[in-house]
Amino acid sequence: LKYSSQVSSRVQKNAHCGAGTGEDMPKMVNVKSEFDALIKGSKPVIVDFTATWCGPCQRIAPKYAEFAEATPSMEFIKVDVDEAEEIAAACGIEAMPTFKVFKDGKEVDSMTGASDANLLAMINKNK
């Protein structure tokens, strides 16, 4: 019973993330015009360029979501390179996962690979 109430309170706490609504956190963006508008926003934007078939991408996804929830000063989005080839091509994506940070529409930082520590360092440097 105690476990059940802990889970229930955790689900309610995370309800703002789309928990239980079928929405992913962070948001998946596959339309170039939406991507372009988001990276020009007032918050720094970190983008996870990912693919469903990419093992390292799937392994780091829970950490990326955890970092997103812990860093409200940044906007976290994901781009599936197979669903959004136009975005991936425009951003020069050659390997996954690739993470890029944009401020005022301009790329300011980038890393490739599924290192939790390197990703966290890049987030902290750019938030």
Side-chain angles (χ1 to χ4, degrees), residues 23-96:
E23 287 183 36
D24 288 331
M25 171 68 183
K27 180 180 182 170
M28 185 69 75
V29 177
N30 292 325
V31 178
K32 178 94 167 53
S33 59
E34 181 183 10
F35 176 84
D36 291 342
L38 282 168
I39 66 170
K40 291 176 183 166
S42 59
K43 287 183 176 182
V45 178
I46 184 161
V47 185
D48 173 7
F49 290 92
T50 187
T52 55
W53 49 263
C54 167
C57 299
Q58 302 313 312
R59 282 194 299 280
I60 200 163
K63 273 293 185 192
Y64 185 71
E66 182 183 309
F67 295 154
E69 185 155 342
T71 316
S73 61
M74 294 181 84
E75 182 82 26
F76 285 69
I77 64 173
K78 297 177 84 154
V79 172
D80 183 316
V81 298
D82 293 319
E83 298 292 323
E85 292 178 14
E86 184 182 7
I87 299 170
C91 293
I93 304 304
E94 296 178 357
M96 279 74 63

